[in-house]
Amino acid sequence: MAHYAELDENNVVKRVIVVANKDTADANGNESESIGVAFCQKLLGGNWKQTSYNGNFRKHYAGIGYTYDAGRDAFIPPQPYPSWVLDADCNWQAPVPHPNDGEMYTWDEAAQAWVESEG
């Protein structure tokens, strides 16, 4: 099974579908992204990119609302807060490291700090 993400005009993921291996392979059984993309386009139209369920390529498994960055050849999750920045592995990082003391925290954007969760 292969997974393909449909992108809108801004490269934002609209949906992700599963495609059978036979629909991504040539007559010799060699799988190819371009064959899978052509299958998706013929079946549903649109602009498609393959995504890896295990994150083996394109950094992250695509999800609805993720953005495909062609320069990084990566699917990037939505930015959780305006102050967070993208690192080299396409993960969002808070401006202050998350405390590593075993307690539960949530990010307070207004305070630009981690706040211990209650409960």
Side-chain angles (χ1 to χ4, degrees):
M1 301 298 238
H3 299 84
Y4 285 81
E6 183 180 15
L7 308 176
D8 71 10
E9 63 279 355
N10 297 311
N11 283 341
V12 175
V13 176
K14 294 169 51 173
R15 62 180 159 174
V16 179
I17 63 170
V18 179
V19 177
N21 290 343
K22 69 178 182 65
D23 295 319
T24 66
D26 63 17
N28 296 319
N30 300 311
E31 293 182 32
S32 152
E33 178 177 11
S34 61
I35 294 171
V37 165
F39 172 81
C40 293
Q41 288 173 331
K42 182 177 178 183
L43 185 67
L44 301 166
N47 180 24
W48 297 85
K49 288 284 181 190
Q50 189 172 7
T51 186
S52 171
Y53 185 76
N54 297 318
N56 292 333
F57 56 90
R58 298 200 168 121
K59 303 289 184 184
H60 298 278
Y61 179 70
I64 294 172
Y66 281 46
T67 301
Y68 175 70
D69 183 316
R72 292 181 173 100
D73 191 27
F75 287 104
I76 300 173
Q79 186 176 16
Y81 299 97
S83 65
W84 289 33
V85 296
L86 200 60
D87 68 15
D89 291 322
C90 296
N91 294 308
W92 293 105
Q93 299 297 325
V96 176
H98 189 281
N100 191 16
D101 60 6
E103 299 298 324
M104 298 291 293
Y105 291 87
T106 56
W107 179 251
D108 183 331
E109 182 68 7
Q112 295 286 293
W114 292 101
V115 178
E116 193 169 344
S117 300
E118 294 183 26

